[in-house]
Amino acid sequence: SESEFTNCVAWGSLAERCEQFLTKGKLVYAEGRLKTRIIDKDDWTKIYKTEVVVSNIIFLNKRSDFNETEGWSNSSEENKF
C-alpha cells in the first residue's frame, strides 16, 4: 500500500496534547477542515499550502500492538477491552 502525508495544524490544548504524545511513526485519526494558505515570496511568486486544521484527534495503535486474546499489548487501561 502507498502512504500519503498531509500537513496538519492544531491549536490550544489540542496542540499541547499532540506535542506531548505524537512522535514519528505514530498512527492517528485526525478530523478537521481544509485550509489553503497563500505565501508571497520575495520574487513575487505565490506558494499555495493546503493543510488540515485539526478539530479532533484519536491516537491509534498499530495492528502489531494488538493481541486478539488479551486486547492491547501495552498496559494502559484505556486501551484494554
Side-chain angles (χ1 to χ4, degrees), residues 54-78:
V54 179
S55 59
N56 186 33
I57 193 163
I58 299 172
F59 299 94
L60 305 173
N61 286 318
K62 294 181 181 175
R63 187 174 292 213
S64 61
D65 293 340
F66 184 72
N67 179 333
E68 286 189 35
T69 60
E70 298 178 21
W72 300 102
S73 63
N74 62 12
S75 61
S76 173
E77 286 300 315
E78 66 187 29

Side-chain angles (χ1 to χ4, degrees), residues 5-23:
F5 301 92
T6 302
N7 291 328
C8 297
V9 179
W11 301 102
S13 62
L14 183 60
E16 291 171 2
R17 282 192 295 149
C18 290
E19 181 182 27
Q20 185 178 5
F21 294 110
L22 287 180
T23 58

Side-chain angles (χ1 to χ4, degrees), residues 4-9 32-39 46-54:
E4 290 190 28
F5 301 92
T6 302
N7 291 328
C8 297
V9 179
R33 63 182 173 84
L34 292 176
K35 172 82 174 170
T36 301
R37 295 187 296 133
I38 302 171
I39 302 168
K46 295 181 184 223
I47 297 175
Y48 295 87
K49 292 206 173 216
T50 301
E51 303 165 323
V52 175
V53 179
V54 179

